[in-house]
Amino acid sequence: MTINKHDVRLYPEGIESRWRDLDWEIVGPAPQRPAMNLALDEVLTRRVGHGDRAPLLRFWGWAEPCVVIGRFQSVSNEIHLDRANELGIQIVRRVSGGGAMLIEPESAITYSAYLPPSMVEDLSFQESYAFLDSWIIDALRRLGIDAWYEPLNDITSAGGKIGGAAQARKDQAVLHHTTMAYDMTEGLLTQVLRIGMEKIRDKGIRSAEARVGPLRQQTQMPRDEIIDHLYDSFVELTGASPGALGDAEIAEAEALVDEKFGNDEWTFLLP
Amino acid sequence: MRGDYKTVGGKLVTVNFDLSGGHLTNVQVSGDFFLYPEEALGDIRQALEGLPESEDERSIAARINAAIGPEVEMVGFSPEAVARAVGRGLGRDDQ
């Protein structure tokens, strides 16, 4: 008997109502520098945790190409730094764990959810990823993409890995952010990222690039229309109302770019 | 020296270190794992710093366990996975 992966729900039954229990706001994509996107994540997580703003879903816009490495990754172990510099690809470090992502501005779809811990209380880490990614899986399937959640933090499909999520838990809040590949410049991933065989040993595949199945290979829909569809799907699920980033939030994030996310001290924390 | 170990169905942990007088020094622990709270990474690293290269993996894992508080959550890796990465870095075969 084969188990249809699509039908395996990896979180407890009956918690879907939690999406509607919160008064969500939603913000569409506006291009930001990579370090600013990361700084906004820290600021907005803290503000949600301290009750200074409503739970929020924010789509990211990317102003510049970059590699975003995970909180615990080593720059030199993950990145061909000379090649990245030649290509004008910045390196930034995010606050959450997980793996490196190569971002080309029009080729990635990224969003962050900032929520109170009550939404995932009594769930294991794995269940919380499955639960917080469930709406995106449903939304992708409505586009005819055969997608599912793959533990621990992947969103994958019959056509290959689409993306991944990462969580940080701090300041009495949960940050859950997800990046999906919309498109991919062939050969760029392996030029910039070092992906050893050990990492893909249990995946049953021969190369990192062979793992990836960008959305553009699986749907005719332009990137902006996919983002609109995801936005609408989230509003339908949660009743979220359109929000905006406040001037104080933006100012705080800009200060954090100067102090932290734009600095080598943070980026090369693990050299 | 460098050793990598990926927990099956989990995440990769890499341990980089130098050897000096039969002890591990300049230890760096990194990877695409998740760790809460994040500051626990320093405790894991400290548990390996100065470790005799003759130490077996079971006691390396025990040292890591002792160094991190009960509230620490290692997600996608474990003290045993870190110990295996150290073992590989020391050129030891998988058991």
Side-chain angles (χ1 to χ4, degrees), chain A residues 57-77:
Chain A
L57 187 87
R58 175 176 74 96
F59 285 94
W60 298 28
W62 294 98
E64 292 151 2
C66 62
V67 174
V68 185
I69 59 171
R71 167 66 180 78
F72 306 109
Q73 290 191 298
S74 141
V75 175
S76 57
N77 285 350

Side-chain angles (χ1 to χ4, degrees), chain A residues 140-152:
Chain A
L140 292 174
R141 284 193 207 153
R142 282 198 297 278
L143 297 180
I145 296 167
D146 188 10
W148 65 88
Y149 160 75
E150 181 114 337
L152 179 63

Side-chain angles (χ1 to χ4, degrees), chain B residues 27-87:
Chain B
V27 177
Q28 177 180 269
V29 178
S30 66
D32 64 348
F33 48 77
F34 296 90
L35 179 65
Y36 307 93
E38 60 193 85
E39 294 77 18
L41 189 70
D43 300 329
I44 296 172
R45 198 194 69 76
Q46 273 302 326
L48 300 177
E49 193 70 38
L51 196 78
E53 62 174 321
S54 57
E55 190 106 342
D56 67 45
E57 286 177 28
R58 187 174 299 182
S59 30
I60 296 173
R63 278 180 191 256
I64 295 168
N65 258 318
I68 59 176
E71 79 290 357
V72 171
E73 303 221 42
M74 300 171 77
V75 182
F77 78 133
S78 61
E80 291 71 25
V82 179
R84 188 72 282 270
V86 172

